[in-house]
Amino acid sequence: MFEFIVQAAMAIIGLCLLASLVLIIRTKNEFIRAVVSDMVFYSMVSFYLLWTIGNDTQISYEIVLLAALVGGVLPTMSIARIISKGRR
């Protein structure tokens, strides 16, 4: 039962990831692209985390923590630069 729930969550996250990628391709607004790119990144991290529940790896949670740390700081700075159009 638990494996079914994990696979269903992976399917839902995969569909959201595809919808986000389609939105990035179809939109012309760079603000929307910047925000949705963060959503794509966190969707991939959560998909990997769900995958590691069913598959044994040595450094699975370290990768997720590093991705969350790096993914929390750098995208915020890049979105701020995009919104301010490069001004400091």
Side-chain angles (χ1 to χ4, degrees), residues 5-73:
I5 293 172
V6 170
Q7 290 176 352
M10 287 175 69
I12 291 169
I13 291 172
L15 290 173
C16 293
L17 182 64
L18 284 174
S20 300
L21 290 173
V22 168
L23 181 62
I24 287 175
I25 292 170
R26 295 191 67 186
T27 188
K28 303 287 188 213
N29 190 349
E30 65 266 0
F31 301 132
I32 294 174
R33 283 186 178 177
V35 171
V36 174
S37 68
D38 279 346
M39 192 167 86
V40 168
F41 175 75
Y42 285 119
S43 296
M44 291 189 312
V45 170
S46 63
F47 192 85
Y48 175 75
L49 183 61
L50 287 172
W51 179 80
T52 59
I53 291 173
N55 300 308
D56 292 331
T57 60
Q58 294 289 329
I59 57 169
S60 59
Y61 297 112
E62 288 85 357
I63 291 173
V64 172
L65 287 173
L66 180 64
L69 181 70
V70 172
V73 174

